[in-house]
Amino acid sequence: FFYEISLVSIYDYASAESISVSDRITHGNFVTTLGFRHEDVDYWEYTAGTHGKKTETENSATMLAASTVYNMGNGQSAFAAYSKGYQPTGVSTQEPEESDNYEVGYRKVSAGSFLEVIGFFNDYDQLIDTCLAAAGCTGDTGSTTNAGAAEIKGIEFQYRINNLFAGPEMKGASSMSSTRYPFLVSGMIQDSEYKGQNLNYNGKTIAYVPDFQLYTSLGMETTNWSVGLGAKYYDNMFTDNMNVFRTVQSFIYDLHS
């Protein structure tokens, strides 16, 4: 594929080729999935009115992934997974971002509820910090920085129930007219740290990675209409590698129907 971006008479192009293979194996109560992917991406940049290429970058990576799920019965399962992370650089002199990602978890599914708890560990050989306005960065938006090795570890959880205030239905009552109150709560507790060669911020918290975030919502719905109120909490987070500046704690509310 090709894409084109025009900004101040500069044109960026990319061409990508990839191949992937996966296989799912069932053995007893286990289901194991193995995967392989290879990707080659070429970037080049031109300036309008000039001849020849201004910048050319090549990214290439081979990624492996493996996961297994153990069926415990009664809607319960335990799982573990590994994947190789990779993020190409675009037109840049930076090396691509690479990481080893591990997770283990527990899941329970029933007719009216869902529960999931996951522990994760992401080990970055090369972490690329990207300045994004959506993440709160106010510097050179879109710029990237090689932050070296880093680690992020933590726990994420999710619980949802179809009807928080469910009760026994009256005999003869129509289920079509019943009102349901779906409830959801999800969150993440994590710890991050730069582990690279830059001694200035080695051991510091990774910028724009909050230690804690939480989302919860409660709705009211019937077969004809629905309305819900949600709230998301972000813990304060550092905005620089040296951990000098940080954001304040924030809440985001949404009303949806």
Side-chain angles (χ1 to χ4, degrees):
F1 67 86
F2 293 88
Y3 70 84
E4 176 180 318
I5 300 175
S6 177
L7 179 63
V8 195
S9 301
I10 295 178
Y11 298 88
D12 292 342
Y13 297 84
S15 174
E17 298 178 348
S18 66
I19 182 173
S20 61
V21 178
S22 64
D23 187 26
R24 177 173 293 183
I25 306 168
T26 301
H27 44 113
N29 289 339
F30 289 89
V31 177
T32 298
T33 303
L34 305 175
F36 160 88
R37 177 183 175 89
H38 181 80
E39 182 175 288
D40 290 307
V41 187
D42 295 319
Y43 301 92
W44 57 96
E45 184 177 77
Y46 295 91
T47 301
T50 64
H51 298 283
K53 299 175 182 178
K54 177 182 179 182
T55 306
E56 184 172 359
T57 305
E58 297 180 2
N59 289 168
S60 179
T62 300
M63 295 154 280
L64 301 176
S67 67
T68 188
V69 179
Y70 174 66
N71 186 350
M72 304 167 64
N74 296 320
Q76 300 180 82
S77 60
F79 55 91
Y82 164 80
S83 63
K84 185 73 174 179
Y86 164 75
Q87 179 177 314
T89 62
V91 180
S92 172
T93 58
Q94 303 288 348
E95 292 294 323
E97 179 176 283
E98 296 184 354
S99 63
D100 294 298
N101 308 303
Y102 308 85
E103 65 177 30
V104 293
Y106 167 82
R107 183 181 297 127
K108 183 176 182 180
V109 182
S110 67
S113 65
F114 175 88
L115 171 67
E116 185 176 72
V117 180
I118 301 174
F120 63 89
F121 176 69
N122 301 329
D123 184 12
Y124 293 87
D125 294 329
Q126 175 101 343
L127 176 66
I128 302 298
D129 283 339
T130 303
C131 181
L132 299 174
C137 182
T138 58
D140 185 8
T141 304
S143 63
T144 59
T145 304
N146 177 7
E151 293 179 357
I152 301 178
K153 53 184 178 293
I155 297 174
E156 56 183 326
F157 58 89
Q158 179 183 156
Y159 174 71
R160 66 174 183 264
I161 185 170
N162 294 344
N163 192 355
L164 183 62
F165 305 115
E169 293 187 1
M170 295 180 60
K171 185 177 180 180
S174 171
S175 60
M176 296 296 291
S177 62
S178 63
T179 302
R180 300 174 298 278
Y181 301 90
F183 173 75
L184 166 69
V185 59
S186 63
M188 181 184 300
I189 303 170
Q190 59 186 347
D191 178 71
S192 64
E193 182 180 358
Y194 291 110
K195 308 283 286 188
Q197 68 280 4
N198 193 321
L199 299 180
N200 291 327
Y201 52 81
N202 196 1
K204 303 286 187 180
T205 298
I206 298 175
Y208 299 104
V209 176
D211 290 339
F212 178 64
Q213 53 185 302
L214 180 72
Y215 177 79
T216 183
S217 68
L218 177 63
M220 178 185 295
E221 61 181 31
T222 68
T223 54
N224 299 317
W225 56 269
S226 65
V227 64
L229 176 64
K232 188 168 188 177
Y233 167 79
Y234 279 101
D235 202 359
N236 52 33
M237 52 188 173
F238 292 105
T239 61
D240 65 314
N241 295 340
M242 295 299 296
N243 292 178
V244 176
F245 305 102
R246 67 168 69 195
T247 64
V248 297
Q249 299 168 338
S250 62
F251 290 89
I252 300 174
Y253 301 94
D254 66 89
L255 180 65
H256 50 273
S257 63

